[in-house]
Amino acid sequence: MVVAPQPDAVEAGALVLRAGGNAVDAAVTTALVQGVVDPMMCGITGFGCMHYYMPERKAHGLIEFYGRAPAAATPDMWADLLEGESPDGFGFALKGRVNALGHAAVAVPGSLKAYAEAHERFGRLPWREVVQPAVEQAKEGFVVRPSAYQFWLRDDSASGKVNKIDKLRHSATGRRVYFDADGNLLTPGKMVRNPDMARTLERIRDGGAREMYEGEIAREIAADMKANGGLIDYDDLKNYRTTGRDLLWGSYRGLRIATCPPPGGGLKLVELLNVMERFDLAGMGHNSVEHMRVVAEAMKYATIDKDRHMGDPAFVEVPVERLSSKDYAAELAERIRRGEKADVARVPLSKEPRDTTHLCVADGDGNMVTLTHTLGSASGAITDGLGYMYNDAMAAFDPRPGHAGSIAPGKGRFTAMAPSILFDGEKPLMAIGAPGGAHIVTALAQAISNVVDFGMTMTEAVSAPRFSATGNAIQVSYRIPRFVTRELEAMGYPVKRSHEGFAFAAVHAILMKDGVLSGGADPGREGIAIAV
């Protein structure tokens, strides 16, 4: 089974499974095609985390490929440019938006290196066969979907962010590929064709990932960065390394959870579930006033600890044992029972970044991959002739020196990504993950609880109305009744109602129960699950 937000990518991955590929082959193909058909969400110039479970190889672990600050970056280089912080804690607005638009916003990308390493270690099909579907998709082009068009047109200026349409038109390639001859953005139903991207993928198909990290593509990237004020140079690309630290383990109501440690979002997920476990959520009723109050407070405490502690452990000390402990969760739960309200401090400003995507794959041998990857919010920068837009991962670093998320050469930025696998004893039960910026962890926790506490199917669990509290306000889906939120407001909680019915990340998952696979694709992203 393959589950992801982009039908074209899911189909490509399913065909790889049919051709005899395993879960890693299918995951790499799916990811590469996602980068073609959702070019502002992800791509080979992005970053992320792959969680693999390969029982036939006795291998279970992570390939972490987070965006890293270039060697030329310094902790104070943007300290005097700070205008504000997103209320959800997922980004900083700077004067001139230098950390969000253009070449200076780009952190050293890891996506392609991670895909290639995963394939080299675990893949079954030849590299050329795994890459070829993306080449063919890039040559064919893709149709603008209504959701993508609305996303490109969304006005984020009031939140201090750069609008997507301005990023699309930032480069000569963007203006040529995403706009018509009159300079109008391509509308739903129109074909997007990017021949430069197809040629780049052909070079990678024939020469491997080395082309982008120490070959001619690397030299082209370095020259473009130098000419346009970017921080990345050839040595940054050549020296980029993925990491593969030990999995972080937690539990929820007797189920074991394997997830990613900092600077990924798994520690926040474990802490949040530990607190939720202290309450009879099923007895409260799904999305009841008390259910929402309790879980929202748990979300706020986990967010406070993320802000204070969860940076790159190679640069800051992260108290993993304490934050993941059941005793600490019991302390937080007692505060919630007493009616205390956690206070999430912010430097005032914005909205949720959606420029991330996810996929889950399970094959017939019991292998699984859950992979979250992204461009951050995308930088708008595209090197002439390469076709791919770069990430804007520098936007999430804290421009203030001395903080857990502050800038440092080679440092990985915090990300809420938490691709996870749940086990019932030794048997895998669920592979799960989501795009959605700061709301990833809150969405994953609710989807897990929906299955475990409320007995939902996987489709029901990812489709149920969600809420999120990554600041002091409780943000709610438009589908949550007002009679519930009015009671929360009467208790002193600020409530922000989204105009979206499927808001706050986009959970995708595969449930494995009694030998049967069932997929859940979040309806908010037009995703599908295909069984092979």
Side-chain angles (χ1 to χ4, degrees):
M1 177 169 281
V2 184
V3 184
Q6 304 85 359
D8 293 320
V10 175
E11 182 178 352
L15 289 173
V16 165
L17 290 176
R18 280 190 175 183
N22 64 15
V24 166
D25 293 320
V28 172
T29 295
T30 302
L32 287 168
V33 175
Q34 285 177 314
V36 174
V37 301
D38 234 344
M40 289 196 80
M41 293 285 181
C42 62
I44 59 173
T45 54
F47 58 97
C49 183
M50 175 186 287
H51 184 165
Y52 58 85
Y53 174 71
M54 309 290 288
E56 61 178 10
R57 306 284 187 91
K58 294 182 170 55
H60 183 196
L62 304 168
I63 299 178
E64 302 164 307
F65 50 104
Y66 301 124
R68 300 197 174 277
T74 61
D76 60 352
M77 65 183 188
W78 290 330
D80 59 345
L81 301 180
L82 179 64
E83 289 186 346
E85 180 183 7
S86 169
D88 60 19
F90 214 78
F92 295 84
L94 304 185
K95 294 175 183 176
R97 303 299 182 256
V98 294
N99 64 336
L101 180 66
H103 291 69
V106 186
V108 188
S111 293
L112 182 62
K113 176 155 279 195
Y115 305 159
E117 287 183 4
H119 176 265
E120 183 177 359
R121 291 171 64 186
F122 302 117
R124 187 179 294 161
L125 299 180
W127 173 251
R128 291 179 60 90
E129 292 183 26
V130 170
V131 179
Q132 184 60 27
V135 173
E136 294 172 1
Q137 185 72 62
K139 288 182 176 180
E140 176 186 336
F142 68 93
V143 175
V144 177
R145 304 186 308 277
S147 61
Y149 183 69
Q150 293 167 9
F151 174 63
W152 293 349
L153 284 180
R154 192 174 67 186
D155 184 5
D156 285 340
S157 56
S159 68
K161 297 184 184 295
V162 179
N163 287 334
K164 299 298 181 290
I165 193 169
D166 295 324
K167 294 190 174 190
L168 287 170
R169 64 162 60 101
H170 179 74
S171 68
T173 299
R175 293 189 294 273
R176 183 175 67 251
V177 169
Y178 301 106
F179 297 81
D180 64 22
D182 296 322
N184 299 309
L185 185 66
L186 295 178
T187 54
K190 299 291 185 182
M191 287 293 294
V192 176
R193 290 185 171 86
N194 190 340
D196 289 347
M197 183 182 286
R199 285 190 289 271
T200 297
L201 284 167
E202 287 177 325
R203 295 167 71 183
I204 289 166
R205 177 198 62 194
D206 298 338
R210 179 185 176 279
E211 284 297 308
M212 186 171 143
Y213 288 92
E214 50 186 305
E216 282 305 309
I217 294 177
R219 292 183 176 87
E220 291 169 31
I221 292 171
D224 183 44
M225 289 289 167
K226 184 176 181 180
N228 290 282
L231 300 171
I232 294 173
D233 64 16
Y234 179 82
D235 286 340
D236 286 317
L237 294 166
K238 185 176 181 180
N239 296 330
Y240 184 90
R241 299 291 184 271
T242 66
T243 55
R245 290 189 303 279
D246 291 341
L247 288 156
L248 175 65
W249 288 87
S251 66
Y252 186 67
R253 305 203 193 280
L255 300 174
R256 300 164 62 233
I257 302 169
T259 188
C260 48
L267 179 57
K268 183 179 178 182
L269 177 63
V270 169
E271 178 180 339
L272 175 54
L273 289 171
N274 281 346
V275 179
M276 291 168 59
E277 187 181 48
R278 308 294 298 188
F279 296 89
D280 178 12
L281 302 182
M284 295 174 182
H286 186 261
N287 283 358
S288 67
V289 174
E290 186 62 5
H291 174 245
M292 291 182 65
R293 182 193 76 84
V294 164
V295 175
E297 286 296 337
M299 292 172 177
K300 289 162 64 180
Y301 280 117
T303 297
I304 290 168
D305 284 330
K306 182 272 290 183
D307 291 345
R308 288 176 178 168
H309 303 294
M310 297 182 195
D312 186 338
F315 292 81
V316 297
E317 185 175 348
V318 183
V320 174
E321 186 173 348
R322 181 174 72 86
L323 297 181
S324 63
S325 74
K326 300 289 187 181
D327 289 343
Y328 179 61
E331 294 175 18
L332 298 179
E334 186 55 36
R335 296 182 199 174
I336 296 171
R337 286 196 180 90
R338 291 197 300 262
E340 295 182 17
K341 291 186 174 72
D343 180 41
V344 184
R346 291 275 180 258
V347 182
L349 260 178
S350 133
K351 293 182 183 176
E352 161 194 11
R354 293 167 54 94
D355 319 48
T356 305
T357 197
H358 186 80
L359 64 91
C360 294
V361 182
D363 68 21
D365 295 319
N367 302 310
M368 285 178 292
V369 173
T370 173
L371 165 63
T372 311
H373 56 139
T374 184
L375 295 181
S377 287
S379 65
I382 302 175
T383 297
D384 288 344
L386 296 185
Y388 276 94
M389 190 175 293
Y390 293 103
N391 68 75
D392 76 337
M394 295 302 293
F397 280 107
D398 194 330
R400 300 166 296 177
H403 291 259
S406 298
I407 301 167
K411 187 176 184 179
R413 48 158 272 180
F414 173 81
T415 171
M417 296 176 188
S420 304
I421 299 176
L422 276 69
F423 291 82
D424 186 356
E426 297 300 317
K427 293 183 179 180
L429 176 69
M430 183 191 303
I432 190 168
H439 301 292
I440 290 174
V441 168
T442 62
L444 293 180
Q446 286 172 89
I448 291 168
S449 175
N450 287 345
V451 172
V452 177
D453 295 313
F454 298 100
M456 296 185 189
T457 66
M458 201 68 257
T459 296
E460 291 170 337
V462 304
S463 305
R466 286 192 287 270
F467 58 94
S468 187
T470 57
N472 286 322
I474 301 177
Q475 302 179 68
V476 301
S477 157
Y478 194 76
R479 293 184 296 142
I480 290 179
R482 285 183 173 83
F483 61 74
V484 173
T485 57
R486 287 191 188 109
E487 288 194 47
L488 289 167
E489 288 172 321
M491 298 166 69
Y493 286 98
V495 174
K496 293 184 178 179
R497 180 172 293 274
S498 172
H499 68 281
E500 296 178 328
F502 296 93
F504 316 121
V507 182
H508 289 73
I510 297 175
L511 186 68
M512 295 142 282
K513 200 168 184 180
D514 302 323
V516 177
L517 300 178
S518 60
D522 193 296
R525 293 290 180 92
E526 302 174 335
I528 59 170
I530 293 182
V532 178

